[in-house]
Amino acid sequence: MIVMKFGGTSVEDAAAMRQVIEIVRSKRARQPIVVASAMAKITDTLIRSAQLAREGQEHQAQKLLTEVVALRHRQAATQLVVSEPRCRALQESLDQYIVELRTFIHGLAILGELSPRSLDAIVSYGERLSTLILTTAMQEQNLDAQLLDARQFIITDDRFTKATPSLELSDPRARSLVLPLLERDAIPVTQGFIGATPQGVTTTLGRGGSDYSAAIIGALLGAEAIEIWTDVDGILTTDPKLVPQARLLESVTFQEASELAYFGAKVLHPSTLLPAVDKNIPVYVYNTKNPKSPGTRITMRESPTPGALKAIAYKKGITVINIYSTRMLLAHGFLKAIFEIFDRFETSVDLLATSEVSVSLTIDETRRLDRIVSELQKFSTVTVEHERAIICLVGEGMKYTPGIAARAFGAIRDININMISQGASEINISFIIREADVPTVLERLHREFFEP
Ligand code: ADP
Ligand code: ASP
Ligand code: MG
């Protein structure tokens, strides 16, 4: 059995879904379980609509539902499903979902508030709508597809908008719901990204979380492989949207992939690999629009190629906090006091660099920044720099190859760099630049390392 996860662009319209159906059909013999995201941009639209409602702009919010959400799903459904009574049943279910969404949005507008819990309830419709259409379209194409609501078997904690699934709680439910379908040769289709608390309240796993869902489902059911189907040929040397010369990597190790994901390569959600590594399940990344391409295989370990810098990731929207110790000069307990504050405000730190008199660190979540800074100021002087980006060079071979950093910094010597940090695993070198310098830096580093 394999898990096949299709991202937003892979299900963005009727043509894309047709492609998905053919890909799934071609893997029929391997007992696929299909996990799908919301149609591209639908999650963003639902979030925007909820925010508008909270701000009292209900008219605008409802308009987005009509002109984007309802329209795109109805169009896809109309093109994919024509036979009766299937067509009518599908349109009725879609209408029902849209009515529910409208009611939620109206409620938010009346209350003028939007809790993370309400937001999860609303965004879950993206995946629920897309999978309803995809499943019905598969049936229309003579595949025995069966829709399973992920909220019945992906059981999570109640950290709304970034919930974590519990393997223990999910395991028996996943088995009892999914395995009987596989036994009768049906193709289970379910939503990525969404789950529910043990009490049945809808949660989501964080933006891009469908990859994570696929990995959890694969781990729960002991899949032979997890396939992440997306809109690029696999994992490339860098983001092809910024550097069109980026090249496909035939394989990367789990370690490399997780560093890349953690430092911004959106092609994989950072948590995706954990369940897969634990159960030793290989992960592949493939292109829905180019299924013949060999894709990228994520492997346990490969013999490291000396000199190999594998790929370059970047993460924008980074804030740097510089903390100067006025009294303690990095005395015992200083770092502990700092981390205790970040912990208390549930804000995770990405990079850390220390000097004799200061500590610099980066965060990408600034909701609680003001409170963090005022706590820090009780015992230090603090400066904050916004609109920064992390650049991260990744490769297992780097630890055997001196001089990579020198080459990298040589290639961008006229650019302002700070907070250089090397991960303990020695397979990454990260540093901070201004967000505006990202395109230039990526282009130059890519040329230096990957373009002959
Ligand atoms: P999906 O909707 O299928 O989950 P995403 O947009 O989340 O797709 O992720 C795929 C995107 O990741 C690509 O379109 C590409 O722009 C981006 N990306 C960033 N870094 C890389 C990389 N190193 N290799 C491949 N894609 C990358
Ligand atoms: N639809 C969700 C998002 O846009 C989850 C995903 O696409 O993986 O974040
Ligand atoms: Mg994604």
Side-chain angles (χ1 to χ4, degrees), residues 41-70 97-98 100-110 112-114 118-119 122-123 125-126 207:
K41 297 278 186 303
I42 290 295
T43 307
D44 289 337
T45 306
L46 291 170
I47 294 173
R48 185 73 200 119
S49 174
Q51 288 168 340
L52 284 167
R54 174 192 52 194
E55 291 158 15
Q57 303 192 51
E58 186 182 353
H59 179 70
Q60 291 301 324
Q62 299 285 8
K63 198 164 160 217
L64 276 183
L65 291 187
T66 312
E67 291 179 2
V68 182
V69 182
Y97 277 173
I98 299 296
E100 286 170 25
L101 263 173
R102 287 197 186 295
T103 313
F104 266 119
I105 290 296
H106 181 60
L108 292 180
I110 291 175
E113 67 178 20
L114 176 60
S118 311
L119 188 61
I122 288 168
V123 295
Y125 280 87
R207 295 306 307 269

Side-chain angles (χ1 to χ4, degrees), residues 253-440:
T253 66
F254 275 107
Q255 270 265 25
E256 291 169 335
S258 71
E259 302 277 351
L260 287 170
Y262 185 75
F263 288 106
K266 187 170 152 232
V267 64
L268 280 180
H269 182 282
S271 307
T272 303
L273 299 158
L274 301 171
V277 174
D278 282 347
K279 294 272 162 101
N280 217 336
I281 304 172
V283 177
Y284 298 84
V285 181
Y286 293 121
N287 190 348
T288 308
K289 306 265 151 73
N290 183 17
K292 294 225 166 67
S293 165
T296 300
R297 185 192 155 105
I298 303 172
T299 56
M300 287 312 283
R301 194 174 289 115
E302 62 176 16
S303 38
T305 335
L309 169 65
K310 270 304 209 17
I312 309 167
Y314 70 96
K315 193 167 165 185
K316 289 191 185 179
I318 296 295
T319 297
V320 177
I321 306 176
N322 304 300
I323 307 158
Y324 304 89
S325 162
T326 41
R327 283 172 277 141
M328 298 186 224
L329 287 177
L330 294 197
H332 179 70
F334 184 61
L335 278 176
K336 184 159 171 264
I338 292 173
F339 277 106
E340 194 276 319
I341 292 168
F342 283 88
D343 207 41
R344 184 150 28 104
F345 291 103
E346 289 182 7
T347 300
S348 55
V349 169
D350 282 335
L351 280 193
L352 173 78
T354 55
S355 79
E356 259 170 67
V357 291
S358 72
V359 174
S360 298
L361 42 79
T362 69
I363 59 173
D364 62 1
E365 159 70 70
T366 51
R367 252 190 310 172
R368 303 199 160 116
L369 181 62
D370 289 347
R371 284 154 77 195
I372 290 172
V373 168
S374 68
E375 286 296 310
L376 291 169
Q377 279 169 337
K378 289 182 182 160
F379 59 88
S380 59
T381 306
V382 181
T383 62
V384 175
E385 301 162 25
H386 293 286
E387 291 173 25
R388 296 300 189 263
I390 299 179
I391 299 285
C392 181
L393 313 179
V394 175
E396 298 263 11
M398 275 175 19
K399 60 185 158 204
Y400 307 102
T401 320
I404 296 233
R407 256 177 92 187
F409 298 136
I412 51 171
R413 63 173 74 82
D414 53 327
I415 306 265
N416 234 325
I417 299 172
N418 52 44
M419 280 191 68
I420 300 165
S421 130
Q422 178 160 41
S425 58
E426 289 183 60
I427 72 160
N428 86 62
I429 298 170
S430 316
F431 51 91
I432 300 293
I433 59 171
R434 289 184 317 137
E435 217 173 63
D437 289 329
V438 167
T440 315

Side-chain angles (χ1 to χ4, degrees), residues 5-10 37 208 210-211 228-232 234-241 260 264-268 311-314:
K5 176 262 171 174
F6 293 92
T9 44
S10 303
S37 294
S210 294
D211 302 329
I228 305 293
W229 288 83
T230 182
D231 63 348
V232 286
I235 298 184
L236 311 189
T237 46
T238 193
D239 186 348
K241 289 199 179 108
L260 287 170
K266 187 170 152 232
V267 64
L268 280 180
I312 309 167
Y314 70 96

